[in-house]
Amino acid sequence: MLSIPDLIKKKRDGNALSDDDIQFFLQAVVENNIQEAQTGAMLMAIFMKGMVATETMALTKAMKLSGEVLSWPEEWAGLVVDKHSTGGVGDKVSLVLAPALAACGLKVPMISGRGLGHTGGTLDKLESIPGFNVRQPLPKLQSILAELGCVMVGQTDSLVPADRILYALRDVTGTVESLPLITGSIISKKAAESLNSLVLDVKFGRAAFCKDLASAKALGESMVAAGNNLGMKTSAVFTHMSNPIGRCIGNSLEVIESLETLKGKGPSDLMELVSTLGGVLLVMTGKVSSLSEGGRLITESVTGGAALAKFQAMMVAQGVSNENAQSLCSAQADYHRILRRADHQTELRTHTQGVVIEIDGLVLAEVLHQLGAGRTNAGDPINHSVGAELLVSLGDSVNKGRPWLRIHFESPALTPDQTSRLEGALTLGGSGDKPLRGSLIEDMIPPM
């Protein structure tokens, strides 16, 4: 007869848990037949001793099956896709990628999360649009997906309940960084969406969860193996995350930049990520035969306006008024007539001349978090209007006194310490120096 204390001891002593062991533990978690201290002890045992590949597969599968698993019409076979990012600064890729994929004929049930710590969340960005409802009942979700090809919502209570419980406890038990627990959390939720194909944007660098390429590859390989094991074609792209993506950071400002991108006027680094990740999914679904062709189709869906039309229709389907959706998507949109603008703006200026070598995204995100743009605990309120605009790009030559950053804030105001930190986030070099970043794409685990 299995017992929770025996399973904890088994993992504590470095032994592999069987499929039945893992199933028994997760069932106890979901049915609340386990003390919270015991769950925390098991998480710490997994954190300290790790898991072999078969354990991670079993954990991921059992988490997926702990709740409802979505199903789709037979005629969508091979077309249902999604993307997951491990989190970054200014990462607004989903807002452009989902409608672009829909415009290319795929089905994108994008179930996203909220921001926590210094990284922003897709749901928070969308909720800065008045009326946008990220909570949709399953029948409504399916009807939007059938009509438009994309829908962007939060996790429902019935999907992967085991993850919701374990995720909260990982945060308070110091076990967030466990590779098998991360793999189980991310891949179980995507597998419960019944995806045919998944692309992972695994970021590394100072402003990412993974600080170097080696740790990013270890995480990516674990998630790709787990996804493929569950019958979901899974690929990973490893991308740099030290400088912010694009020029805007903060929820409503990132919506504005996403809309500008959907109008064909987006920054090149953002479009590189959108076209690469989208191209991978088009290859995985058999829509195209090469990554270059897939990237070209994604780019054309953006520059030609088809993706913008999908985003506009999705806004209306998810609660935004027709008038506001049309206004936001118009060529000469007055964004701040609809999206709330912060009460105050202040600009920082360069103290010397030089070439922009680096902009520390982590520092910017941490200061904006303190100003109210992010949350420390799940459920904390955030101020959608707080954010920052970069007024320079990597490689720009700047003179002394040039404005390089505009901060949008309310209360509290910037402190002298925060201002000093922001000023230190900009690195200028000489005329012979080159920016530390070229392409954002470093490597990938290609589609199978």
Side-chain angles (χ1 to χ4, degrees), residues 7 20 73 84 106 110 132 138 191 198 211 220 222 233 237 256 267 313 321 328 355 394 399 438 446:
L7 294 184
D20 287 343
H84 176 83
L106 300 183
M110 195 167 275
F132 199 106
L138 185 56
L198 170 68
K211 300 305 179 186
S222 175
K233 292 180 185 176
V237 180
I256 292 172
S321 71
L328 287 170
V355 176
L394 295 182
N399 293 320

Side-chain angles (χ1 to χ4, degrees), residues 218-254:
L219 176 58
E221 288 165 1
S222 175
M223 292 193 292
V224 167
N228 285 322
N229 179 259
L230 290 175
M232 179 171 58
K233 292 180 185 176
T234 308
S235 178
V237 180
F238 301 99
T239 66
H240 291 270
M241 187 64 255
S242 291
N243 300 281
I245 299 169
R247 284 190 164 218
C248 291
I249 310 163
N251 296 293
S252 65
L253 292 176
E254 290 189 44

Side-chain angles (χ1 to χ4, degrees), residues 72 81 166 277 390-391 403 417 438:
W72 310 112
V81 304
L166 295 183
L277 296 168
L390 293 173
L391 307 178
D417 176 66

Side-chain angles (χ1 to χ4, degrees), residues 11 17 41-51 178 180-181:
K11 178 43 66 178
L17 300 174
M42 178 62 88
L43 292 175
M44 184 56 73
I46 294 171
F47 179 85
M48 297 300 294
K49 298 298 182 179
M51 282 182 151
S178 166
L181 293 177

Side-chain angles (χ1 to χ4, degrees), residues 342-365:
D343 292 340
H344 309 288
Q345 290 80 38
T346 189
E347 291 182 355
L348 275 65
R349 296 176 180 269
T350 56
H351 291 303
T352 184
Q353 69 177 25
V355 176
V356 179
I357 298 299
E358 187 174 20
I359 300 168
D360 191 331
L362 180 59
V363 171
L364 269 60

